[in-house]
């Protein structure tokens, strides 16, 4: 039995961009927990994906929370438009914020749940001062910018260390992990202490249906929790 407290958040980055609404509906039907929406600006990361208008267009396709991962420079310029578009979580990168504390509170004031992401090269301590204010911390297990990259093994120890900090705090902060999550890595990530797993290419691929892919991943996640 999968542990119901561990959430699965498919990233639509790997879905067919010409039918993203259907992809969101399909994932919703497969029983996932959040829809992970990767926003890339061609500056913080090399690629450009889409913006707030896409979040607004996808909003009617699901009742699930939209977990919006902002891989953009100076995210403070865009918080209000993503909040207005219907995002439920706005996750900004610590590396992209000159005034992280201010941005965190800007998101809270917009009435949206707030998360902070850290890249593989950024230490756990980068979020320490804002951790009590967060709903979610996102540990990147690949360098952001592209789907279907290989999970960086050292991320497991980092997830462990982040888990300890959250436990010491005694607050209900979700620990999300993003990048290279598949059948081989899911269980160890859960064991390390993650509570939300993002999966792009392991959910949206040519090999199987979204329903089948979600079933496989859930089984692996369940094995980790017993
Ligand atoms: C990476 C994105 C991820 C990506 C994950 O820059 O933030 O959300 O879609 O893709 P997979 O699961 O294929 O590594
Ligand atoms: Zn992401």
């Amino acid at each position: 039995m999968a542990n119901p407290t561990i959430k699965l958040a498919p990233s639509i980055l790997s879905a067919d961009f010409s039918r993203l609404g259907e992809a969101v509906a399909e994932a919703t039907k497969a029983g996932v927990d959040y829809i992970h929406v990767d926003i890339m600006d061609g500056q913080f990361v090399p690629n450009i994906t889409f913006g707030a208008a896409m979040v607004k267009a996808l909003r009617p396709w699901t009742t699930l929370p939209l977990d919006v991962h902002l891989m953009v420079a100076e995210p403070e310029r865009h918080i209000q438009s993503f909040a207005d578009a219907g995002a439920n979580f706005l996750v900004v990168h610590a590396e992209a914020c000159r005034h992280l504390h201010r941005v965190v509170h800007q998101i809270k004031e917009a009435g949206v749940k707030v998360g902070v992401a850290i890249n593989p090269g950024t230490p756990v301590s980068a979020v320490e001062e804002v951790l009590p204010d967060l709903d979610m911390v996102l540990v990147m297990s690949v360098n952001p910018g592209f789907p279907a990259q290989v999970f960086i093994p050292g991320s497991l120890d980092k997830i462990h260390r982040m888990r300890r900090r959250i436990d010491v705090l005694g607050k209900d902060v979700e620990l999300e992990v993003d990048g290279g999550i598949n059948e081989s890595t899911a269980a160890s990530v859960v064991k390390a202490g993650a509570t939300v797993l993002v999966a792009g290419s392991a959910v949206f691929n040519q090999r199987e249906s979204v329903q089948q892919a979600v079933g496989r991943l859930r089984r692996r996640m369940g094995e980790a929790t017993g």
Side-chain angles (χ1 to χ4, degrees):
M1 232 337 250
N3 184 333
T5 61
I6 308 295
K7 299 185 178 73
L8 183 59
S11 160
I12 56 169
L13 184 62
S14 293
D16 178 350
F17 272 26
S18 69
R19 48 176 293 273
L20 283 182
E22 284 96 329
V24 167
E26 216 177 335
T28 304
K29 213 170 137 216
V32 305
D33 301 287
Y34 301 151
I35 303 294
H36 185 85
V37 185
D38 286 308
I39 309 294
M40 301 187 185
D41 68 347
Q43 200 181 339
F44 181 69
V45 289
N47 274 334
I48 299 176
T49 52
F50 33 69
M54 180 61 84
V55 171
K56 191 172 180 196
L58 293 176
R59 185 64 282 180
W61 289 84
T62 186
T63 53
L64 292 176
L66 295 177
D67 167 27
V68 178
H69 179 190
L70 294 174
M71 286 163 276
V72 305
E74 299 172 31
E76 61 274 11
R77 295 176 298 149
H78 305 288
I79 301 307
Q80 197 57 52
S81 56
F82 281 100
D84 293 344
N88 299 88
F89 285 89
L90 281 176
V91 182
V92 293
H93 269 264
E95 306 85 359
C97 298
R98 198 184 292 265
H99 300 288
L100 181 59
H101 182 274
R102 181 183 291 156
V103 179
V104 163
H105 285 273
Q106 189 187 348
I107 296 172
K108 287 167 98 76
E109 276 156 31
V112 179
K113 288 189 174 175
V114 57
V116 173
I118 53 170
N119 283 337
T122 303
V124 161
S125 59
V127 297
E128 187 167 358
E129 302 303 328
V130 293
L131 197 55
D133 300 327
L134 302 185
D135 299 293
M136 184 189 274
V137 168
L138 169 52
V139 172
M140 291 301 301
S141 39
V142 299
N143 286 293
F146 307 92
Q149 300 181 78
V150 176
F151 184 88
I152 298 171
S155 311
L156 287 177
D157 182 62
K158 193 175 186 183
I159 297 161
H160 256 296
R161 284 181 280 122
M162 187 66 90
R163 173 80 270 154
R164 278 206 296 274
R165 295 216 181 194
I166 295 171
D167 289 347
V168 165
L169 195 65
K171 256 201 75 188
D172 200 12
V173 181
E174 297 275 19
L175 175 44
E176 184 173 57
V177 177
D178 184 5
I181 302 289
N182 53 37
E183 274 198 279
S184 323
T185 54
S188 51
V189 168
V190 172
K191 278 195 193 118
T195 58
V196 184
L197 269 56
V198 175
S201 50
V203 168
F204 297 104
N205 57 60
Q206 306 299 315
R207 302 185 298 276
E208 58 195 344
S209 70
V210 169
Q211 183 95 40
Q212 284 168 329
V214 166
R216 278 169 191 277
L217 276 174
R218 287 271 198 216
R219 274 194 291 281
R220 289 292 191 207
M221 290 156 67
E223 281 163 22
T225 54

